[in-house]
């Protein structure tokens, strides 16, 4: 009987988590966390190599993230960021704008790859 209650409690908690993550509030929370993580990564790369231009740091970070996800490769992640001007020294955005753009592109790719959006 106790095992059944534990299984039901875990199932209910999982369902509540999925529901929350699919809600607007949950998606906004995940987006903010992604932006924060990307911004922290950019800052860490800037500190480790202060003479490196931003556009090179952006490319390095995007390439690293691409190598970790086949979805990003399949949906031309690097090309999307390049076309947005992130890797051009004349048009590379400030780190906060880059983090926001990168997180948005990743979210759109995740939605497309999962079949939710086209």
């Amino acid at each position: 009987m106790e095992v059944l209650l534990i299984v039901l409690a875990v199932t209910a908690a999982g369902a509540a988590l999925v529901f929350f993550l699919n809600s607007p509030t949950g998606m906004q929370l995940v987006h903010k966390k992604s932006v924060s993580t990307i911004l922290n990564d950019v800052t860490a790369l800037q500190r480790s190599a202060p003479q490196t231009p931003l556009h090179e740091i952006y490319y390095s970070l995007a390439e690293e993230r691409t190598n970790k996800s086949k979805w990003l490769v399949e949906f031309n992640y690097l090309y999307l960021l390049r076309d947005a001007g992130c890797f051009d020294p004349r048009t590379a955005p400030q780190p906060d704008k880059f983090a926001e753009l990168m997180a948005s592109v990743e979210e759109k790719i995740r939605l497309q790859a999962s079949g939710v959006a086209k």
Side-chain angles (χ1 to χ4, degrees), residues 42-101:
V42 169
T43 303
L45 288 170
Q46 281 181 306
R47 286 187 184 139
S48 68
Q51 299 302 322
T52 306
L54 277 177
H55 70 281
E56 289 180 22
I57 289 173
Y58 296 162
Y59 186 81
S60 173
L61 181 59
E63 190 174 44
E64 179 184 318
R65 292 172 79 89
T66 299
N67 291 334
K68 294 179 182 177
S69 171
K70 70 176 187 166
W71 285 357
L72 296 180
V73 173
E74 290 174 14
F75 287 88
N76 299 318
Y77 180 63
L78 287 175
Y79 294 111
L80 292 171
L81 292 174
R82 182 201 64 197
D83 292 347
C86 295
F87 309 142
D88 185 333
R90 298 165 293 161
T91 59
Q94 290 302 309
D96 57 333
K97 298 291 183 196
F98 173 73
E100 188 72 39
L101 175 67

Side-chain angles (χ1 to χ4, degrees), residues 18-33:
V18 168
F19 179 76
F20 174 73
L21 290 177
N22 286 324
S23 71
T25 304
M27 292 178 80
Q28 186 178 28
L29 185 67
V30 170
H31 177 78
K32 285 182 180 182
K33 176 63 177 157

